[in-house]
């Protein structure tokens, strides 16, 4: 227990230091652009917390970011690098909209079926990469990345062809029926909707998931194929299931955004959510509570960055730089830890032999 607390403490400290370093370098860029650090970061905080409207927007940004980050963390815990959250988000959105617009069943049933369709499509899209990994040992970084492009071009084809709004020349579908839209919690003035409760349900699910048998199998698979096989785990089956679960959560995020915010399919519907989810998962050290904290930080960064650009002369690209710096620091951290581990492995082996003698 004490060892776990110490490990968690080191992870938290490392994360905080990475964020501080990124913000400090961002502050240097603010100065170089001829602006005040206090004004720039003050505008960022005001944009994130300056009133009820802005606080609700934080939650609007938090919902897809947190759910998708928790999804990719499932794959990462098994040492499967799912870079395809964006494509899985898109496929979930497409499948849910097909059900919403074309399935001739009552509205309540259509809502449930659209969510099931989003989960199945997104999970299946990720599981495809899992099958390629398990069957042909295909690199999941490449396959999930390529599947992103397929999903993007499929979306473009649909919104400019079979699913295009017949009453508009724009690249978009018709609107989701009103009865299927997620209810606004604080009235029509604010965009916060009931999807926040689904986000909380996902968080609770993930807290308990790692205590289940499947969570244990995924964790053990991440420690190496030989270790998992020795423990009696069917590795290939676990790889496919892991990818399905990972993609499934991105599908839920896609469903929430489609039925709670956009109400239709649009070009670029996923935005940079997939990339941000990857950063958040790694910044949170693949731990549920760490991911929650990292997702909250990025929600502040996204909402506050737009206000910083409006209220000062600081370009929004500074926010992009801060995000990029955090990626670099996270990668540097994991690379350094890997090298240190490899450095001490021979020493541990010698120590074990001496102890055995």
């Amino acid at each position: 227990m004490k060892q776990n607390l110490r490990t968690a403490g080191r992870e938290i400290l490392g994360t905080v230091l990475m964020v501080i370093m990124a913000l400090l370098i961002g502050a240097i860029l603010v100065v170089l652009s001829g602006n005040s650090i206090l004004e720039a970061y003050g505008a960022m905080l005001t944009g994130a917390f300056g009133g009820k409207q802005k606080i609700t927007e934080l939650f609007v940004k938090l919902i897809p970011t947190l759910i998708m980050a928790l999804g990719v963390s499932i794959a990462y815990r098994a040492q499967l690098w799912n870079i395809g959250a964006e494509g899985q988000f898109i496929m979930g959105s497409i499948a849910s909209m097909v059900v919403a617009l074309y399935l001739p069943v009552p509205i309540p049933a259509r809502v449930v079926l659209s969510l099931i369709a989003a989960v199945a499509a997104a999970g299946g899209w990720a599981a495809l990469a899992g099958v390629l990994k398990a069957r042909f040992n295909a690199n999941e970084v490449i396959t999930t990345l390529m599947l992103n492009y397929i999903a993007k071009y499929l979306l473009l084809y649909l919104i400019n062809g079979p699913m295009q709004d017949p009453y508009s020349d724009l690249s978009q579908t018709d609107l989701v029926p009103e009865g299927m839209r997620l209810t606004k919690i604080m009235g029509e003035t604010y965009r916060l909707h009931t999807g926040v409760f689904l986000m909380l349900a996902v968080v609770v699910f993930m807290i308990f998931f790692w205590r289940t048998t499947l969570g244990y199998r995924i964790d053990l698979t991440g420690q190496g194929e030989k270790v998992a096989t020795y423990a009696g785990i069917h590795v290939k089956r676990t790889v496919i299931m892991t990818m399905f679960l990972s993609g499934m959560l991105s599908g839920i995020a896609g469903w929430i955004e489609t039925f709670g915010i956009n109400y239709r399919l649009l070009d670029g519907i996923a935005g940079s959510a997939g990339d941000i989810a990857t950063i958040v998962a790694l910044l949170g050290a693949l731990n549920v509570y760490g991911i929650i904290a990292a997702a909250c930080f990025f929600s502040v960064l996204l909402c506050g960055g737009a206000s910083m650009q409006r209220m000062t002369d600081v370009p929004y690209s500074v926010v992009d730089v801060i995000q990029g710096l955090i990626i670099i620091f996270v990668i540097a951290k994991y690379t350094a830890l890997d090298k240190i581990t490899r450095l001490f492995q021979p020493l541990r082996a010698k120590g074990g032999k001496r102890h055995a003698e």
Side-chain angles (χ1 to χ4, degrees), residues 295-308:
C296 290
F297 168 73
F298 265 84
S299 297
V300 171
L301 203 59
L302 292 171
C303 292
S307 294
M308 182 176 70

Side-chain angles (χ1 to χ4, degrees), residues 12 15 280-281 283-296:
I12 292 169
T15 299
V280 168
L283 186 62
L286 308 183
N287 176 278
V288 176
Y289 301 107
I291 290 171
I292 292 171
C296 290

